[in-house]
Amino acid sequence: MRAKRTDSNQTEIVKALRKCGYSVFVTSMVGHGFPDILVGAHGKNYIFELKDGKKPKSQQKLTDMETLFHLSWQGTVHIVTSVDEAIDIVSKH
């Protein structure tokens, strides 16, 4: 199995969320379509699939494995393309 690529904005998003005081666990190495990070905030958990918002939409598509995970997961998975989007999601919930 080959190593999973991480989106170029992953480090930036993780650092920003941690700077805000949120717990972040990087899961991008899990593979098999599992989302990239878990975020703990305000007593809740958030699952984020990260995509690079600077890339064309055609390059931000979910992989087949990611799509399968999103369709089969009975909870919420957020697709996040920027720091602002990530912070907005956890601060509104």
Side-chain angles (χ1 to χ4, degrees):
M1 177 176 16
R2 64 174 216 239
K4 185 179 182 302
R5 291 187 334 256
T6 58
D7 287 282
S8 62
N9 58 348
Q10 177 172 302
T11 300
E12 176 187 20
I13 291 171
V14 168
K15 283 182 182 180
L17 289 166
R18 287 179 175 157
K19 187 175 180 178
C20 289
Y22 304 128
S23 302
V24 181
F25 190 83
V26 176
T27 55
S28 55
M29 76 296 282
V30 173
H32 305 287
F34 195 85
D36 298 309
I37 62 174
L38 299 177
V39 181
H42 314 293
K44 295 182 180 181
N45 297 307
Y46 301 87
I47 303 175
F48 286 174
E49 176 62 46
L50 304 179
K51 295 296 178 185
D52 188 343
K54 295 177 183 172
K55 289 185 176 180
K57 290 286 185 194
S58 63
Q59 293 181 11
Q60 295 180 42
K61 289 183 180 179
L62 296 174
T63 66
D64 290 344
M65 293 294 288
E66 290 167 348
T67 299
L68 182 60
F69 182 89
H70 286 236
L71 291 173
S72 64
W73 188 251
Q74 294 185 35
T76 302
V77 181
H78 300 275
I79 300 173
V80 174
T81 62
S82 69
V83 168
D84 290 341
E85 203 170 66
I87 292 172
D88 188 52
I89 289 168
V90 295
S91 64
K92 285 187 176 179
H93 291 95

CSV table of all heavy atoms in Angstrom, one decimal, residues 31-79:
chain,number,residue,atom,x,y,z
A,31,GLY,N,-5.7,6.1,6.0
A,31,GLY,CA,-6.0,5.6,4.6
A,31,GLY,C,-7.4,5.0,4.5
A,31,GLY,O,-8.2,5.2,5.4
A,32,HIS,N,-7.6,4.2,3.5
A,32,HIS,CA,-8.9,3.5,3.2
A,32,HIS,C,-10.1,4.5,3.2
A,32,HIS,O,-11.2,4.1,3.6
A,32,HIS,CB,-9.1,2.4,4.3
A,32,HIS,CG,-8.0,1.4,4.4
A,32,HIS,ND1,-7.8,0.5,3.4
A,32,HIS,CD2,-7.0,1.3,5.3
A,32,HIS,CE1,-6.7,-0.2,3.7
A,32,HIS,NE2,-6.3,0.2,4.8
A,33,GLY,N,-9.8,5.8,2.8
A,33,GLY,CA,-10.9,6.8,2.7
A,33,GLY,C,-11.2,7.5,4.0
A,33,GLY,O,-12.1,8.3,4.1
A,34,PHE,N,-10.5,7.1,5.1
A,34,PHE,CA,-10.8,7.7,6.4
A,34,PHE,C,-10.4,9.2,6.4
A,34,PHE,O,-9.3,9.5,5.8
A,34,PHE,CB,-10.0,7.0,7.6
A,34,PHE,CG,-10.6,7.4,8.9
A,34,PHE,CD1,-11.6,6.7,9.5
A,34,PHE,CD2,-10.0,8.4,9.6
A,34,PHE,CE1,-12.1,7.1,10.7
A,34,PHE,CE2,-10.5,8.8,10.9
A,34,PHE,CZ,-11.5,8.1,11.4
A,35,PRO,N,-11.2,10.1,6.9
A,35,PRO,CA,-10.9,11.5,6.8
A,35,PRO,C,-9.5,11.9,7.5
A,35,PRO,O,-8.9,11.1,8.2
A,35,PRO,CB,-12.0,12.2,7.6
A,35,PRO,CG,-13.2,11.2,7.4
A,35,PRO,CD,-12.5,9.9,7.5
A,36,ASP,N,-9.1,13.1,7.2
A,36,ASP,CA,-7.7,13.5,7.6
A,36,ASP,C,-7.5,13.9,9.0
A,36,ASP,O,-6.4,13.7,9.5
A,36,ASP,CB,-7.3,14.7,6.7
A,36,ASP,CG,-7.3,14.3,5.2
A,36,ASP,OD1,-6.7,13.3,4.9
A,36,ASP,OD2,-8.0,15.0,4.4
A,37,ILE,N,-8.5,14.6,9.7
A,37,ILE,CA,-8.2,15.0,11.1
A,37,ILE,C,-9.5,14.8,11.9
A,37,ILE,O,-10.6,14.9,11.4
A,37,ILE,CB,-7.7,16.4,11.2
A,37,ILE,CG1,-8.7,17.5,10.6
A,37,ILE,CG2,-6.3,16.6,10.5
A,37,ILE,CD1,-8.2,18.9,10.9
A,38,LEU,N,-9.3,14.6,13.2
A,38,LEU,CA,-10.4,14.7,14.2
A,38,LEU,C,-10.1,15.9,15.0
A,38,LEU,O,-9.0,16.2,15.4
A,38,LEU,CB,-10.3,13.4,15.1
A,38,LEU,CG,-10.5,12.1,14.4
A,38,LEU,CD1,-10.4,10.9,15.4
A,38,LEU,CD2,-11.8,12.0,13.7
A,39,VAL,N,-11.2,16.6,15.3
A,39,VAL,CA,-11.1,17.9,16.0
A,39,VAL,C,-12.1,17.8,17.2
A,39,VAL,O,-13.2,17.4,17.1
A,39,VAL,CB,-11.5,19.1,15.2
A,39,VAL,CG1,-11.3,20.4,16.0
A,39,VAL,CG2,-10.6,19.2,13.9
A,40,GLY,N,-11.5,18.1,18.4
A,40,GLY,CA,-12.4,18.2,19.6
A,40,GLY,C,-12.5,19.6,20.0
A,40,GLY,O,-11.6,20.3,20.2
A,41,ALA,N,-13.8,20.0,20.1
A,41,ALA,CA,-14.1,21.4,20.5
A,41,ALA,C,-15.4,21.5,21.2
A,41,ALA,O,-16.4,20.9,20.7
A,41,ALA,CB,-14.1,22.3,19.2
A,42,HIS,N,-15.5,22.3,22.3
A,42,HIS,CA,-16.8,22.5,22.9
A,42,HIS,C,-17.5,21.3,23.3
A,42,HIS,O,-18.7,21.2,23.3
A,42,HIS,CB,-17.7,23.4,22.1
A,42,HIS,CG,-17.0,24.6,21.5
A,42,HIS,ND1,-16.5,25.6,22.2
A,42,HIS,CD2,-16.7,24.9,20.2
A,42,HIS,CE1,-15.9,26.5,21.4
A,42,HIS,NE2,-16.0,26.1,20.1
A,43,GLY,N,-16.7,20.2,23.7
A,43,GLY,CA,-17.3,19.0,24.1
A,43,GLY,C,-17.8,18.1,23.0
A,43,GLY,O,-18.5,17.1,23.2
A,44,LYS,N,-17.5,18.5,21.7
A,44,LYS,CA,-18.0,17.7,20.6
A,44,LYS,C,-16.8,17.3,19.7
A,44,LYS,O,-15.7,17.8,19.8
A,44,LYS,CB,-18.9,18.6,19.7
A,44,LYS,CG,-20.2,19.0,20.4
A,44,LYS,CD,-21.1,19.8,19.5
A,44,LYS,CE,-22.4,20.1,20.2
A,44,LYS,NZ,-23.3,20.9,19.3
A,45,ASN,N,-17.0,16.3,18.9
A,45,ASN,CA,-16.0,15.8,18.0
A,45,ASN,C,-16.4,16.2,16.5
A,45,ASN,O,-17.6,16.1,16.2
A,45,ASN,CB,-15.8,14.3,18.1
A,45,ASN,CG,-15.4,13.9,19.5
A,45,ASN,OD1,-14.4,14.4,20.0
A,45,ASN,ND2,-16.1,13.1,20.1
A,46,TYR,N,-15.4,16.5,15.7
A,46,TYR,CA,-15.6,16.8,14.3
A,46,TYR,C,-14.7,16.0,13.5
A,46,TYR,O,-13.5,15.9,13.8
A,46,TYR,CB,-15.4,18.3,14.1
A,46,TYR,CG,-16.3,19.2,14.9
A,46,TYR,CD1,-15.9,19.6,16.2
A,46,TYR,CD2,-17.5,19.6,14.4
A,46,TYR,CE1,-16.8,20.4,17.0
A,46,TYR,CE2,-18.4,20.4,15.2
A,46,TYR,CZ,-18.0,20.8,16.4
A,46,TYR,OH,-18.8,21.6,17.2
A,47,ILE,N,-15.2,15.5,12.4
A,47,ILE,CA,-14.3,14.8,11.5
A,47,ILE,C,-14.2,15.6,10.2
A,47,ILE,O,-15.2,16.0,9.6
A,47,ILE,CB,-15.0,13.4,11.1
A,47,ILE,CG1,-15.2,12.6,12.4
A,47,ILE,CG2,-14.1,12.6,10.1
A,47,ILE,CD1,-15.9,11.3,12.1
A,48,PHE,N,-12.9,15.9,9.8
A,48,PHE,CA,-12.7,16.8,8.7
A,48,PHE,C,-11.9,16.0,7.6
A,48,PHE,O,-10.9,15.4,7.8
A,48,PHE,CB,-11.8,18.0,9.1
A,48,PHE,CG,-12.5,19.0,9.9
A,48,PHE,CD1,-11.8,20.1,10.4
A,48,PHE,CD2,-13.9,19.0,10.1
A,48,PHE,CE1,-12.4,21.1,11.1
A,48,PHE,CE2,-14.5,20.0,10.8
A,48,PHE,CZ,-13.8,21.1,11.4
A,49,GLU,N,-12.5,16.1,6.4
A,49,GLU,CA,-11.7,15.7,5.2
A,49,GLU,C,-11.2,17.0,4.6
A,49,GLU,O,-11.9,17.9,4.3
A,49,GLU,CB,-12.7,15.0,4.2
A,49,GLU,CG,-12.0,14.6,2.9
A,49,GLU,CD,-10.9,13.7,3.1
A,49,GLU,OE1,-11.1,12.7,3.8
A,49,GLU,OE2,-9.8,13.9,2.5
A,50,LEU,N,-9.9,17.1,4.5
A,50,LEU,CA,-9.2,18.3,4.0
A,50,LEU,C,-9.0,18.2,2.5
A,50,LEU,O,-8.5,17.2,2.0
A,50,LEU,CB,-7.9,18.5,4.8
A,50,LEU,CG,-8.0,18.6,6.3
A,50,LEU,CD1,-6.6,18.8,6.9
A,50,LEU,CD2,-9.0,19.7,6.8
A,51,LYS,N,-9.3,19.3,1.9
A,51,LYS,CA,-9.0,19.5,0.5
A,51,LYS,C,-8.4,20.9,0.3
A,51,LYS,O,-8.7,21.8,1.0
A,51,LYS,CB,-10.3,19.4,-0.4
A,51,LYS,CG,-11.0,18.0,-0.3
A,51,LYS,CD,-10.1,17.0,-1.0
A,51,LYS,CE,-10.7,15.6,-0.9
A,51,LYS,NZ,-9.8,14.6,-1.4
A,52,ASP,N,-7.5,21.0,-0.6
A,52,ASP,CA,-6.8,22.2,-0.9
A,52,ASP,C,-7.7,23.2,-1.7
A,52,ASP,O,-7.9,23.0,-2.9
A,52,ASP,CB,-5.5,22.0,-1.6
A,52,ASP,CG,-4.6,23.2,-1.7
A,52,ASP,OD1,-5.1,24.3,-1.5
A,52,ASP,OD2,-3.4,23.1,-2.0
A,53,GLY,N,-8.2,24.2,-1.0
A,53,GLY,CA,-9.1,25.1,-1.7
A,53,GLY,C,-8.4,26.0,-2.8
A,53,GLY,O,-9.1,26.7,-3.5
A,54,LYS,N,-7.1,26.0,-2.8
A,54,LYS,CA,-6.4,26.7,-3.9
A,54,LYS,C,-6.3,26.0,-5.2
A,54,LYS,O,-6.0,26.5,-6.2
A,54,LYS,CB,-5.0,27.1,-3.4
A,54,LYS,CG,-5.0,28.0,-2.2
A,54,LYS,CD,-3.6,28.3,-1.7
A,54,LYS,CE,-3.7,29.2,-0.5
A,54,LYS,NZ,-2.4,29.3,0.2
A,55,LYS,N,-6.6,24.7,-5.1
A,55,LYS,CA,-6.6,23.9,-6.4
A,55,LYS,C,-7.9,24.0,-7.1
A,55,LYS,O,-8.9,24.3,-6.5
A,55,LYS,CB,-6.3,22.4,-6.0
A,55,LYS,CG,-4.9,22.1,-5.5
A,55,LYS,CD,-4.7,20.6,-5.3
A,55,LYS,CE,-3.3,20.3,-4.9
A,55,LYS,NZ,-3.1,18.9,-4.7
A,56,PRO,N,-7.9,23.7,-8.4
A,56,PRO,CA,-9.2,23.7,-9.1
A,56,PRO,C,-10.1,22.7,-8.5
A,56,PRO,O,-9.7,21.7,-8.0
A,56,PRO,CB,-8.7,23.3,-10.6
A,56,PRO,CG,-7.3,23.5,-10.6
A,56,PRO,CD,-6.8,23.4,-9.2
A,57,LYS,N,-11.4,23.0,-8.7
A,57,LYS,CA,-12.5,22.1,-8.1
A,57,LYS,C,-12.3,20.6,-8.6
A,57,LYS,O,-12.5,19.7,-7.8
A,57,LYS,CB,-13.9,22.5,-8.5
A,57,LYS,CG,-14.3,23.8,-7.8
A,57,LYS,CD,-14.6,23.6,-6.4
A,57,LYS,CE,-15.1,24.9,-5.8
A,57,LYS,NZ,-15.2,24.8,-4.3
A,58,SER,N,-11.8,20.4,-9.8
A,58,SER,CA,-11.6,19.1,-10.3
A,58,SER,C,-10.5,18.3,-9.5
A,58,SER,O,-10.5,17.1,-9.5
A,58,SER,CB,-11.2,19.2,-11.8
A,58,SER,OG,-10.0,19.8,-12.0
A,59,GLN,N,-9.6,19.0,-8.9
A,59,GLN,CA,-8.6,18.4,-8.1
A,59,GLN,C,-8.9,18.3,-6.6
A,59,GLN,O,-8.1,17.9,-5.8
A,59,GLN,CB,-7.2,19.1,-8.3
A,59,GLN,CG,-6.7,19.0,-9.7
A,59,GLN,CD,-5.4,19.8,-9.9
A,59,GLN,OE1,-4.7,20.2,-8.9
A,59,GLN,NE2,-4.9,19.9,-11.1
A,60,GLN,N,-10.1,18.8,-6.3
A,60,GLN,CA,-10.6,18.7,-4.9
A,60,GLN,C,-11.6,17.6,-4.7
A,60,GLN,O,-12.1,17.4,-3.6
A,60,GLN,CB,-11.2,20.0,-4.5
A,60,GLN,CG,-10.3,21.2,-4.4
A,60,GLN,CD,-11.0,22.5,-4.0
A,60,GLN,OE1,-11.8,22.5,-3.1
A,60,GLN,NE2,-10.7,23.6,-4.7
A,61,LYS,N,-11.8,16.8,-5.7
A,61,LYS,CA,-12.8,15.8,-5.6
A,61,LYS,C,-12.4,14.7,-4.6
A,61,LYS,O,-11.2,14.4,-4.4
A,61,LYS,CB,-13.1,15.1,-7.0
A,61,LYS,CG,-13.8,16.0,-7.9
A,61,LYS,CD,-14.0,15.3,-9.2
A,61,LYS,CE,-14.8,16.2,-10.2
A,61,LYS,NZ,-15.0,15.5,-11.5
A,62,LEU,N,-13.4,14.1,-4.0
A,62,LEU,CA,-13.1,12.9,-3.1
A,62,LEU,C,-12.6,11.8,-3.9
A,62,LEU,O,-13.1,11.5,-5.1
A,62,LEU,CB,-14.4,12.5,-2.4
A,62,LEU,CG,-15.0,13.5,-1.4
A,62,LEU,CD1,-16.3,13.0,-0.9
A,62,LEU,CD2,-14.1,13.8,-0.2
A,63,THR,N,-11.7,11.0,-3.4
A,63,THR,CA,-11.3,9.8,-4.0
A,63,THR,C,-12.5,8.7,-3.9
A,63,THR,O,-13.4,9.0,-3.1
A,63,THR,CB,-10.1,9.2,-3.4
A,63,THR,OG1,-10.4,8.7,-2.0
A,63,THR,CG2,-8.9,10.2,-3.3
A,64,ASP,N,-12.4,7.7,-4.6
A,64,ASP,CA,-13.4,6.6,-4.5
A,64,ASP,C,-13.5,6.1,-3.1
A,64,ASP,O,-14.6,5.9,-2.6
A,64,ASP,CB,-13.1,5.5,-5.5
A,64,ASP,CG,-13.3,5.8,-6.9
A,64,ASP,OD1,-13.9,6.9,-7.2
A,64,ASP,OD2,-12.7,5.1,-7.8
A,65,MET,N,-12.4,5.9,-2.4
A,65,MET,CA,-12.4,5.4,-1.0
A,65,MET,C,-13.0,6.4,-0.1
A,65,MET,O,-13.8,6.1,0.8
A,65,MET,CB,-11.0,5.0,-0.6
A,65,MET,CG,-10.5,3.8,-1.3
A,65,MET,SD,-11.4,2.3,-1.0
A,65,MET,CE,-10.9,2.0,0.7
A,66,GLU,N,-12.7,7.7,-0.3
A,66,GLU,CA,-13.3,8.8,0.5
A,66,GLU,C,-14.8,8.9,0.3
A,66,GLU,O,-15.5,9.0,1.3
A,66,GLU,CB,-12.6,10.1,0.2
A,66,GLU,CG,-11.2,10.2,0.7
A,66,GLU,CD,-10.5,11.4,0.1
A,66,GLU,OE1,-11.0,12.1,-0.9
A,66,GLU,OE2,-9.4,11.7,0.5
A,67,THR,N,-15.2,8.8,-0.9
A,67,THR,CA,-16.7,8.8,-1.2
A,67,THR,C,-17.4,7.6,-0.5
A,67,THR,O,-18.4,7.8,0.1
A,67,THR,CB,-16.9,8.7,-2.7
A,67,THR,OG1,-16.3,9.9,-3.3
A,67,THR,CG2,-18.4,8.7,-3.1
A,68,LEU,N,-16.8,6.4,-0.6
A,68,LEU,CA,-17.4,5.3,0.1
A,68,LEU,C,-17.5,5.5,1.6
A,68,LEU,O,-18.5,5.2,2.2
A,68,LEU,CB,-16.5,4.0,-0.2
A,68,LEU,CG,-17.1,2.7,0.3
A,68,LEU,CD1,-18.5,2.4,-0.2
A,68,LEU,CD2,-16.1,1.6,0.0
A,69,PHE,N,-16.4,6.1,2.2
A,69,PHE,CA,-16.5,6.3,3.6
A,69,PHE,C,-17.6,7.3,3.9
A,69,PHE,O,-18.4,7.1,4.8
A,69,PHE,CB,-15.1,6.9,4.1
A,69,PHE,CG,-15.2,7.1,5.6
A,69,PHE,CD1,-14.8,6.2,6.5
A,69,PHE,CD2,-15.6,8.4,6.1
A,69,PHE,CE1,-14.8,6.4,7.9
A,69,PHE,CE2,-15.6,8.6,7.5
A,69,PHE,CZ,-15.3,7.6,8.4
A,70,HIS,N,-17.7,8.4,3.2
A,70,HIS,CA,-18.7,9.5,3.4
A,70,HIS,C,-20.1,8.9,3.3
A,70,HIS,O,-21.0,9.3,4.1
A,70,HIS,CB,-18.5,10.6,2.5
A,70,HIS,CG,-17.3,11.5,2.8
A,70,HIS,ND1,-17.4,12.8,3.0
A,70,HIS,CD2,-16.0,11.2,3.0
A,70,HIS,CE1,-16.2,13.3,3.3
A,70,HIS,NE2,-15.3,12.3,3.3
A,71,LEU,N,-20.3,8.0,2.3
A,71,LEU,CA,-21.6,7.5,2.1
A,71,LEU,C,-22.0,6.5,3.2
A,71,LEU,O,-23.2,6.3,3.5
A,71,LEU,CB,-21.7,6.8,0.7
A,71,LEU,CG,-21.6,7.7,-0.5
A,71,LEU,CD1,-21.6,6.9,-1.8
A,71,LEU,CD2,-22.9,8.7,-0.5
A,72,SER,N,-21.0,5.7,3.7
A,72,SER,CA,-21.3,4.7,4.7
A,72,SER,C,-21.3,5.2,6.1
A,72,SER,O,-21.9,4.5,7.0
A,72,SER,CB,-20.4,3.5,4.5
A,72,SER,OG,-19.0,3.9,4.8
A,73,TRP,N,-20.6,6.3,6.4
A,73,TRP,CA,-20.5,6.8,7.8
A,73,TRP,C,-21.8,7.4,8.2
A,73,TRP,O,-22.4,8.2,7.5
A,73,TRP,CB,-19.4,7.9,7.8
A,73,TRP,CG,-19.1,8.3,9.2
A,73,TRP,CD1,-19.4,9.5,9.8
A,73,TRP,CD2,-18.5,7.5,10.2
A,73,TRP,NE1,-19.0,9.5,11.1
A,73,TRP,CE2,-18.4,8.3,11.4
A,73,TRP,CE3,-17.9,6.2,10.3
A,73,TRP,CZ2,-17.8,7.9,12.6
A,73,TRP,CZ3,-17.4,5.8,11.4
A,73,TRP,CH2,-17.3,6.6,12.6
A,74,GLN,N,-22.3,7.0,9.4
A,74,GLN,CA,-23.6,7.5,9.8
A,74,GLN,C,-23.6,8.8,10.6
A,74,GLN,O,-24.6,9.3,11.1
A,74,GLN,CB,-24.3,6.4,10.6
A,74,GLN,CG,-24.6,5.2,9.7
A,74,GLN,CD,-25.4,4.1,10.5
A,74,GLN,OE1,-26.2,4.4,11.3
A,74,GLN,NE2,-25.2,2.9,10.1
A,75,GLY,N,-22.4,9.3,10.8
A,75,GLY,CA,-22.2,10.6,11.4
A,75,GLY,C,-21.9,11.7,10.4
A,75,GLY,O,-22.0,11.5,9.2
A,76,THR,N,-21.4,12.8,10.9
A,76,THR,CA,-21.1,13.9,10.0
A,76,THR,C,-19.6,14.0,9.7
A,76,THR,O,-18.8,13.8,10.6
A,76,THR,CB,-21.5,15.2,10.7
A,76,THR,OG1,-22.9,15.2,11.0
A,76,THR,CG2,-21.2,16.4,9.8
A,77,VAL,N,-19.3,14.2,8.4
A,77,VAL,CA,-18.0,14.4,8.0
A,77,VAL,C,-18.0,15.7,7.2
A,77,VAL,O,-18.8,15.9,6.3
A,77,VAL,CB,-17.4,13.3,7.0
A,77,VAL,CG1,-16.0,13.6,6.6
A,77,VAL,CG2,-17.5,11.9,7.7
A,78,HIS,N,-17.1,16.7,7.6
A,78,HIS,CA,-17.1,18.0,7.0
A,78,HIS,C,-15.9,18.0,6.0
A,78,HIS,O,-14.8,17.6,6.3
A,78,HIS,CB,-16.8,19.1,8.0
A,78,HIS,CG,-17.9,19.2,9.1
A,78,HIS,ND1,-19.0,19.9,8.9
A,78,HIS,CD2,-18.0,18.6,10.3
A,78,HIS,CE1,-19.8,19.8,9.9
A,78,HIS,NE2,-19.2,19.1,10.8
A,79,ILE,N,-16.2,18.5,4.8
A,79,ILE,CA,-15.1,18.7,3.8
A,79,ILE,C,-14.7,20.2,4.0
A,79,ILE,O,-15.5,21.1,3.9
A,79,ILE,CB,-15.6,18.5,2.4
A,79,ILE,CG1,-16.1,17.0,2.2
A,79,ILE,CG2,-14.5,18.8,1.4
A,79,ILE,CD1,-16.7,16.7,0.9
